[in-house]
Coordinates of all heavy atoms in Angstrom, one line a residue:
S531 N 203.1 -27.2 -6.2 CA 204.3 -27.8 -5.6 C 205.5 -27.5 -6.5 O 205.4 -27.0 -7.6 CB 204.0 -29.4 -5.5 OG 203.9 -29.9 -6.8
V532 N 206.7 -27.9 -6.0 CA 207.9 -27.8 -6.7 C 208.7 -29.1 -6.7 O 208.7 -29.8 -5.6 CB 208.8 -26.7 -6.1 CG1 210.0 -26.4 -6.9 CG2 208.0 -25.4 -5.9
S533 N 209.2 -29.4 -7.8 CA 210.0 -30.7 -7.9 C 211.3 -30.5 -8.6 O 211.5 -29.6 -9.4 CB 209.2 -31.8 -8.6 OG 209.0 -31.4 -9.9
M534 N 212.3 -31.3 -8.3 CA 213.6 -31.3 -8.9 C 213.8 -32.7 -9.5 O 213.7 -33.7 -8.7 CB 214.7 -31.0 -7.9 CG 216.1 -30.9 -8.5 SD 217.3 -30.5 -7.3 CE 217.4 -32.1 -6.4
N535 N 214.2 -32.8 -10.7 CA 214.4 -34.1 -11.4 C 215.8 -34.3 -11.9 O 216.4 -33.3 -12.4 CB 213.4 -34.3 -12.6 CG 211.9 -34.1 -12.2 OD1 211.6 -34.6 -11.1 ND2 211.1 -33.5 -13.0
E536 N 216.3 -35.5 -11.8 CA 217.7 -35.8 -12.2 C 217.7 -37.1 -12.9 O 217.4 -38.2 -12.3 CB 218.7 -35.8 -11.1 CG 219.0 -34.5 -10.4 CD 220.0 -34.7 -9.3 OE1 219.5 -35.1 -8.1 OE2 221.2 -34.5 -9.5
G537 N 217.9 -37.1 -14.2 CA 218.1 -38.4 -14.9 C 219.5 -38.9 -14.9 O 220.4 -38.2 -14.3
P538 N 219.8 -40.0 -15.4 CA 221.2 -40.6 -15.4 C 222.2 -39.6 -16.0 O 223.3 -39.4 -15.5 CB 221.1 -41.9 -16.1 CG 219.6 -42.3 -16.0 CD 218.9 -41.0 -16.0
L539 N 221.8 -39.0 -17.2 CA 222.7 -38.1 -17.9 C 222.9 -36.8 -17.1 O 224.0 -36.3 -16.9 CB 222.2 -37.8 -19.3 CG 223.0 -36.9 -20.2 CD1 224.4 -37.5 -20.3 CD2 222.4 -36.6 -21.5
L540 N 221.8 -36.2 -16.6 CA 221.9 -35.0 -15.9 C 222.7 -35.2 -14.6 O 223.5 -34.3 -14.2 CB 220.5 -34.5 -15.5 CG 219.6 -34.0 -16.7 CD1 218.3 -33.5 -16.2 CD2 220.3 -32.9 -17.5
R541 N 222.5 -36.3 -13.9 CA 223.2 -36.6 -12.6 C 224.7 -36.7 -12.9 O 225.5 -36.2 -12.1 CB 222.7 -37.9 -12.0 CG 223.2 -38.1 -10.6 CD 222.7 -39.4 -10.0 NE 221.3 -39.5 -10.1 CZ 220.7 -40.4 -10.8 NH1 221.4 -41.3 -11.6 NH2 219.4 -40.5 -10.9
R542 N 225.1 -37.3 -14.0 CA 226.5 -37.5 -14.3 C 227.1 -36.2 -14.6 O 228.3 -35.9 -14.3 CB 226.7 -38.5 -15.5 CG 228.1 -38.8 -15.8 CD 228.3 -39.9 -16.8 NE 229.7 -40.2 -17.0 CZ 230.4 -41.1 -16.3 NH1 229.8 -41.6 -15.2 NH2 231.6 -41.3 -16.6
M543 N 226.4 -35.2 -15.2 CA 226.9 -33.9 -15.6 C 226.7 -32.9 -14.5 O 227.1 -31.8 -14.7 CB 226.2 -33.4 -16.9 CG 226.4 -34.3 -18.1 SD 225.4 -33.7 -19.5 CE 226.2 -32.1 -19.8
G544 N 226.1 -33.3 -13.4 CA 225.9 -32.4 -12.3 C 224.8 -31.4 -12.6 O 224.9 -30.2 -12.0
L545 N 223.9 -31.8 -13.4 CA 222.8 -30.9 -13.7 C 221.5 -31.4 -13.2 O 221.4 -32.6 -12.7 CB 222.7 -30.8 -15.3 CG 223.9 -30.3 -16.0 CD1 223.7 -30.3 -17.5 CD2 224.3 -28.9 -15.5
A546 N 220.4 -30.6 -13.2 CA 219.1 -31.0 -12.8 C 218.1 -30.2 -13.5 O 218.3 -29.2 -14.1 CB 219.0 -30.8 -11.2
E547 N 216.8 -30.6 -13.3 CA 215.7 -30.0 -13.9 C 214.7 -29.5 -12.8 O 214.5 -30.2 -11.9 CB 214.9 -30.9 -14.9 CG 213.7 -30.3 -15.5 CD 212.9 -31.4 -16.3 OE1 212.3 -32.2 -15.6 OE2 212.8 -31.3 -17.5
L548 N 214.2 -28.3 -13.0 CA 213.3 -27.7 -12.0 C 211.9 -27.6 -12.6 O 211.8 -27.1 -13.8 CB 213.8 -26.3 -11.6 CG 212.9 -25.5 -10.6 CD1 212.9 -26.2 -9.3 CD2 213.3 -24.1 -10.5
R549 N 210.9 -28.1 -11.9 CA 209.5 -28.0 -12.4 C 208.7 -27.4 -11.3 O 208.7 -27.8 -10.1 CB 209.0 -29.4 -12.7 CG 207.6 -29.4 -13.2 CD 207.1 -30.9 -13.4 NE 207.8 -31.5 -14.5 CZ 207.4 -31.4 -15.8 NH1 206.3 -30.7 -16.1 NH2 208.2 -32.0 -16.7
V550 N 207.9 -26.4 -11.7 CA 207.0 -25.7 -10.8 C 205.6 -26.2 -11.3 O 205.1 -25.9 -12.4 CB 207.0 -24.2 -10.9 CG1 206.0 -23.5 -10.0 CG2 208.4 -23.7 -10.6
H551 N 204.9 -26.9 -10.4 CA 203.6 -27.5 -10.7 C 202.5 -26.5 -10.5 O 202.3 -25.9 -9.5 CB 203.3 -28.7 -9.8 CG 204.3 -29.8 -10.0 ND1 204.2 -30.7 -11.1 CD2 205.5 -30.1 -9.4 CE1 205.2 -31.6 -11.0 NE2 206.0 -31.2 -10.0
T552 N 201.7 -26.3 -11.6 CA 200.4 -25.5 -11.5 C 199.3 -26.3 -12.1 O 199.4 -27.5 -12.3 CB 200.6 -24.2 -12.3 OG1 200.8 -24.5 -13.7 CG2 201.8 -23.4 -11.9
V553 N 198.2 -25.7 -12.3 CA 197.0 -26.4 -12.9 C 197.3 -26.7 -14.3 O 198.2 -26.1 -14.9 CB 195.8 -25.5 -12.8 CG1 195.4 -25.3 -11.3 CG2 195.9 -24.2 -13.5
A554 N 196.6 -27.7 -14.8 CA 196.8 -28.1 -16.2 C 196.5 -27.0 -17.2 O 195.6 -26.3 -17.0 CB 196.0 -29.4 -16.5
G555 N 197.3 -27.0 -18.3 CA 197.1 -25.9 -19.3 C 198.2 -26.0 -20.3 O 199.0 -26.9 -20.3
P556 N 198.2 -25.0 -21.2 CA 199.2 -25.0 -22.3 C 200.6 -24.7 -21.8 O 201.5 -24.8 -22.6 CB 198.6 -24.0 -23.3 CG 197.9 -23.0 -22.4 CD 197.2 -23.9 -21.3
I557 N 200.7 -24.2 -20.6 CA 202.0 -23.7 -20.1 C 202.6 -24.8 -19.2 O 202.0 -25.2 -18.2 CB 201.9 -22.4 -19.3 CG1 201.2 -21.3 -20.2 CG2 203.2 -21.9 -18.8 CD1 200.9 -20.0 -19.5
A558 N 203.8 -25.2 -19.5 CA 204.6 -26.1 -18.7 C 205.7 -25.3 -18.0 O 206.7 -24.9 -18.7 CB 205.1 -27.3 -19.5
A559 N 205.6 -25.1 -16.7 CA 206.7 -24.3 -16.0 C 207.8 -25.2 -15.6 O 208.0 -25.6 -14.5 CB 206.0 -23.7 -14.7
T560 N 208.6 -25.5 -16.6 CA 209.8 -26.5 -16.5 C 211.0 -25.8 -17.1 O 210.9 -25.2 -18.2 CB 209.5 -27.8 -17.1 OG1 208.2 -28.3 -16.6 CG2 210.6 -28.8 -16.9
I561 N 212.1 -26.0 -16.5 CA 213.4 -25.5 -17.0 C 214.5 -26.5 -16.6 O 214.5 -27.0 -15.5 CB 213.7 -24.1 -16.5 CG1 215.0 -23.6 -17.2 CG2 213.9 -24.1 -15.0 CD1 215.2 -22.1 -16.9
G562 N 215.3 -26.9 -17.6 CA 216.3 -28.0 -17.4 C 217.7 -27.5 -17.7 O 217.9 -26.3 -18.0
A563 N 218.6 -28.5 -17.5 CA 220.0 -28.2 -17.8 C 220.6 -27.1 -16.9 O 221.3 -26.3 -17.4 CB 220.3 -27.9 -19.3
L564 N 220.2 -27.1 -15.6 CA 220.8 -26.2 -14.7 C 221.7 -26.9 -13.7 O 221.6 -28.1 -13.5 CB 219.6 -25.5 -13.9 CG 218.6 -24.7 -14.7 CD1 217.4 -24.4 -13.9 CD2 219.2 -23.5 -15.3
D565 N 222.6 -26.1 -13.1 CA 223.5 -26.6 -12.1 C 222.7 -27.2 -10.9 O 221.8 -26.5 -10.4 CB 224.5 -25.5 -11.7 CG 225.5 -26.1 -10.7 OD1 226.5 -26.6 -11.2 OD2 225.3 -26.0 -9.5
R566 N 223.1 -28.4 -10.5 CA 222.4 -29.0 -9.4 C 222.3 -28.2 -8.2 O 221.3 -28.1 -7.5 CB 222.9 -30.4 -9.2 CG 222.1 -31.3 -8.2 CD 222.8 -32.6 -7.9 NE 222.0 -33.4 -7.0 CZ 222.0 -33.3 -5.7 NH1 222.8 -32.3 -5.1 NH2 221.2 -34.0 -4.9
N567 N 223.4 -27.6 -7.8 CA 223.5 -26.9 -6.5 C 222.6 -25.6 -6.6 O 221.9 -25.3 -5.6 CB 224.9 -26.5 -6.2 CG 225.8 -27.6 -5.9 OD1 225.4 -28.7 -5.4 ND2 227.1 -27.5 -6.3
D568 N 222.5 -25.0 -7.8 CA 221.6 -23.9 -7.9 C 220.2 -24.3 -7.8 O 219.4 -23.6 -7.2 CB 221.9 -23.2 -9.3 CG 223.3 -22.6 -9.4 OD1 223.8 -22.2 -8.3 OD2 223.8 -22.4 -10.5
V569 N 219.9 -25.4 -8.4 CA 218.5 -25.9 -8.3 C 218.1 -26.3 -6.9 O 217.0 -26.0 -6.5 CB 218.3 -27.1 -9.3 CG1 216.9 -27.7 -9.1 CG2 218.5 -26.7 -10.7
V570 N 219.0 -26.9 -6.1 CA 218.7 -27.2 -4.8 C 218.4 -26.0 -3.9 O 217.5 -25.9 -3.1 CB 219.8 -28.1 -4.2 CG1 219.6 -28.3 -2.7 CG2 219.9 -29.5 -4.8
Q571 N 219.3 -25.0 -4.1 CA 219.1 -23.7 -3.3 C 217.8 -23.0 -3.7 O 217.0 -22.6 -2.9 CB 220.3 -22.8 -3.6 CG 220.2 -21.5 -2.8 CD 221.4 -20.6 -3.1 OE1 222.4 -21.0 -3.8 NE2 221.4 -19.4 -2.5
F572 N 217.5 -23.0 -5.0 CA 216.3 -22.3 -5.5 C 215.1 -23.1 -5.1 O 214.0 -22.5 -4.8 CB 216.4 -22.2 -7.0 CG 215.3 -21.3 -7.6 CD1 215.4 -19.9 -7.4 CD2 214.3 -21.8 -8.4 CE1 214.4 -19.1 -7.9 CE2 213.3 -21.0 -8.9 CZ 213.4 -19.6 -8.7
F573 N 215.2 -24.4 -5.1 CA 214.1 -25.3 -4.6 C 213.7 -24.9 -3.2 O 212.5 -24.8 -2.9 CB 214.6 -26.8 -4.7 CG 213.5 -27.7 -4.3 CD1 212.6 -28.3 -5.1 CD2 213.5 -28.2 -2.9 CE1 211.6 -29.2 -4.7 CE2 212.6 -29.1 -2.5 CZ 211.6 -29.6 -3.4
D574 N 214.6 -24.8 -2.3 CA 214.3 -24.4 -0.9 C 213.7 -23.0 -0.9 O 212.7 -22.8 -0.1 CB 215.6 -24.5 -0.1 CG 216.1 -25.9 0.0 OD1 215.3 -26.8 -0.1 OD2 217.3 -26.1 0.3
E575 N 214.3 -22.0 -1.6 CA 213.8 -20.7 -1.6 C 212.3 -20.6 -2.1 O 211.4 -20.0 -1.5 CB 214.6 -19.8 -2.4 CG 216.1 -19.6 -1.8 CD 216.9 -18.7 -2.7 OE1 216.4 -18.3 -3.8 OE2 218.1 -18.5 -2.4
V576 N 212.1 -21.3 -3.2 CA 210.7 -21.3 -3.8 C 209.7 -22.0 -2.9 O 208.6 -21.5 -2.7 CB 210.7 -21.9 -5.2 CG1 209.3 -22.1 -5.7 CG2 211.5 -21.0 -6.1
A577 N 210.1 -23.1 -2.2 CA 209.2 -23.8 -1.4 C 208.8 -22.9 -0.2 O 207.6 -22.9 0.1 CB 209.9 -25.1 -0.9
H578 N 209.7 -22.3 0.5 CA 209.3 -21.4 1.6 C 208.5 -20.2 1.2 O 207.6 -19.8 1.8 CB 210.6 -21.0 2.3 CG 211.3 -22.1 3.1 ND1 212.2 -22.9 2.5 CD2 211.1 -22.5 4.4 CE1 212.6 -23.8 3.4 NE2 212.0 -23.6 4.6
A579 N 208.9 -19.6 0.0 CA 208.2 -18.4 -0.5 C 206.8 -18.8 -0.9 O 205.8 -18.0 -0.6 CB 208.9 -17.8 -1.7
A580 N 206.5 -20.0 -1.4 CA 205.2 -20.4 -1.8 C 204.3 -20.6 -0.6 O 203.1 -20.2 -0.6 CB 205.3 -21.6 -2.7

Side-chain angles (χ1 to χ4, degrees):
S531 62
V532 184
S533 65
M534 184 183 71
N535 302 323
E536 292 180 276
L539 179 60
L540 293 179
R541 190 183 307 114
R542 185 173 184 82
M543 298 178 62
L545 304 176
E547 179 189 68
L548 178 68
R549 178 183 295 270
V550 180
H551 296 276
T552 66
V553 298
I557 303 174
T560 305
I561 186 170
L564 298 169
D565 185 82
R566 184 183 183 278
N567 295 330
D568 294 336
V569 173
V570 171
Q571 181 180 357
F572 192 70
F573 178 88
D574 295 334
E575 294 178 0
V576 170
H578 289 88

